Amino acid sequence: MADKLVVKVTAGADAPERCSQAFTVASVAAASGVEVSLWLTGEAAWFALPGRAAEFALPHSAPLPDLIEAIQAGGTITLCTQCAARRDIARKDVLEGVRIAGAQVFVSEIMKDGVQALVY
């Protein structure tokens, strides 16, 4: 069994079910005691900004702010460097606890023994 779960979410409001699935899986893993690293890329990058998750709604799914809180309680959330730059998101703009990092950090996380990576 993997010791760590790395989830890369590429979808945002443009693909709400895929987006919600990524956050739900990551939060359930964190609540289960699994070390979780959630990566916000593509349109999911917007959820690194305060208030943006509260604007997201999908029937029969948990509120995104609650899922983010659960993930942060048991893991890390990272905003992709290039995705942030393309959207003019600066480090000062993001939610407390969200780091900005690039592909080198992502690859180093997923290549370690005991890691399971998922991309949504």
Side-chain angles (χ1 to χ4, degrees):
M1 186 165 122
D3 299 319
K4 181 175 183 176
L5 177 64
V6 179
V7 178
K8 180 184 265 193
V9 55
T10 63
D14 59 324
E17 287 184 297
R18 187 163 32 112
C19 175
S20 180
Q21 288 171 2
F23 280 92
T24 300
V25 167
S27 67
V28 168
S32 300
V34 175
E35 182 183 355
V36 173
S37 176
L38 179 76
W39 282 73
L40 303 174
T41 67
E43 287 302 298
W46 295 114
F47 297 125
L49 297 174
R52 288 294 183 101
E55 296 172 3
F56 180 88
L58 181 65
H60 309 292
S61 65
L64 215 51
D66 294 349
L67 299 177
I68 289 172
E69 184 178 323
I71 295 163
Q72 286 185 311
T76 60
I77 297 179
T78 305
L79 171 59
C80 163
T81 303
Q82 291 181 9
C83 300
R86 281 190 282 273
R87 290 162 179 80
D88 293 320
I89 299 172
R91 192 170 308 278
K92 66 177 177 55
D93 300 326
V94 300
L95 293 166
E96 184 177 333
V98 173
R99 69 178 177 167
I100 297 176
Q104 180 182 2
V105 175
F106 179 77
V107 171
S108 72
E109 282 190 17
I110 66 170
M111 294 308 294
K112 292 178 182 169
D113 289 336
V115 175
Q116 173 67 54
L118 301 173
V119 178
Y120 286 88

